[in-house]
Amino acid sequence: MNFLAHIYLSFDDEEIALGNFIADSIRGNKIDHLPSRIQKGVILHREIDTYTDSHPIPKISSKRLHKNYSHYSRVIVDIYYDHFLAKNWKHYSDTPLKIFVDNFYDLLEDNYTILPTGVQRMMPYMISDDWLYNYSKMEGIDRVLQGMDRRTKNRSKMNFAILDLEEHYSDFEREFTSFFNELITFSKQKYKSL
């Protein structure tokens, strides 16, 4: 799953959300310097990723893309799934998406000093371009995919993945909906056990 899903699956726990958000920027077990609840957010993020990577539904979504994007197909699916979460947000939260993401941006700014350097560098762009809110729009997902392609020095060809999303939109959305309900249940259980 991508940024928005990880934040959502922190169940309104700010410290867990911070850890869940920064986890990809932390290598191995180098989390001892972080507050305890943020460490638990990192752990939750990794549990979510392990569950997602082993689940058959995201594998179906990824297989549809594998011919064109090889090992990048899983990253693309994560981005697609964040789109469907944002697009269908009202089914998952009583808090409007714009308020939810603005509150999270405030949380990042309030905790800037403990964020990994890479996240500190990325954060101004994320906020100014309102990445999380714009996941709900096809143009927003297209911009994310273009950016990801640039980061791979145009090797991934992820800039073309918006076409695959358009072509198989209902299949990806159906798969997301089915999978995400199971992921919420799994994540709640892991969250409670932290």
Side-chain angles (χ1 to χ4, degrees):
M1 303 306 292
N2 205 37
F3 294 135
L4 184 61
H6 279 290
I7 299 161
Y8 173 79
L9 294 169
S10 299
F11 307 105
D12 298 319
D13 185 319
E14 290 184 348
E15 290 179 296
I16 296 292
L18 283 170
N20 213 337
F21 177 73
I22 67 172
D24 283 335
S25 300
I26 298 171
R27 296 289 163 234
N29 294 323
K30 297 180 179 172
I31 60 175
D32 293 342
H33 66 288
L34 296 168
S36 170
R37 302 272 313 148
I38 294 178
Q39 290 181 37
K40 290 179 179 180
V42 172
I43 293 164
L44 178 60
H45 177 109
R46 292 174 179 172
E47 294 279 353
I48 289 168
D49 281 358
T50 299
Y51 180 82
T52 300
D53 289 346
S54 65
H55 196 285
I57 294 175
K59 285 181 181 178
I60 292 168
S61 296
S62 180
K63 187 174 184 182
R64 189 177 295 117
L65 300 169
H66 197 268
K67 178 182 167 194
N68 293 332
Y69 306 102
S70 186
H71 63 280
Y72 295 108
S73 60
R74 285 189 173 193
V75 175
I76 296 167
V77 169
D78 286 347
I79 294 166
Y80 288 178
Y81 281 13
D82 256 19
H83 165 66
F84 292 116
L85 174 58
K87 177 193 167 215
N88 298 298
W89 185 259
K90 65 181 178 288
H91 299 302
Y92 300 101
S93 178
D94 294 330
T95 304
L97 179 60
K98 185 64 176 155
I99 293 170
F100 181 88
V101 299
D102 285 347
N103 288 342
F104 184 72
Y105 296 151
D106 290 343
L107 179 67
L108 288 180
E109 290 175 332
D110 291 346
N111 291 277
Y112 182 83
T113 57
I114 64 168
L115 299 176
T117 306
V119 176
Q120 289 177 342
R121 280 197 297 264
M122 172 189 72
M123 190 183 87
Y125 301 103
M126 175 184 232
I127 294 171
S128 66
D129 292 339
D130 202 1
W131 292 358
L132 299 176
Y133 181 74
N134 285 318
Y135 284 164
S136 65
K137 305 170 189 169
M138 290 294 278
E139 314 86 71
I141 293 301
D142 189 30
R143 273 195 303 277
V144 170
L145 292 166
Q146 301 267 353
M148 295 294 285
D149 186 59
R150 281 191 300 277
R151 268 177 249 143
T152 66
K153 297 184 173 44
N154 304 320
R155 285 190 304 267
S156 69
K157 306 299 180 205
M158 288 168 73
N159 55 312
F160 295 111
I162 195 71
L163 302 175
D164 299 88
L165 178 57
E166 290 168 348
E167 183 179 351
H168 302 285
Y169 196 87
S170 58
D171 293 324
F172 285 120
E173 185 166 25
R174 187 176 58 254
E175 288 155 8
F176 162 78
T177 302
S178 178
F179 168 67
F180 200 64
N181 289 329
E182 293 182 33
L183 182 60
I184 290 170
T185 301
F186 169 83
S187 301
K188 277 183 183 168
Q189 291 169 346
K190 288 295 175 184
Y191 172 77
K192 288 175 184 171
S193 71
L194 292 173

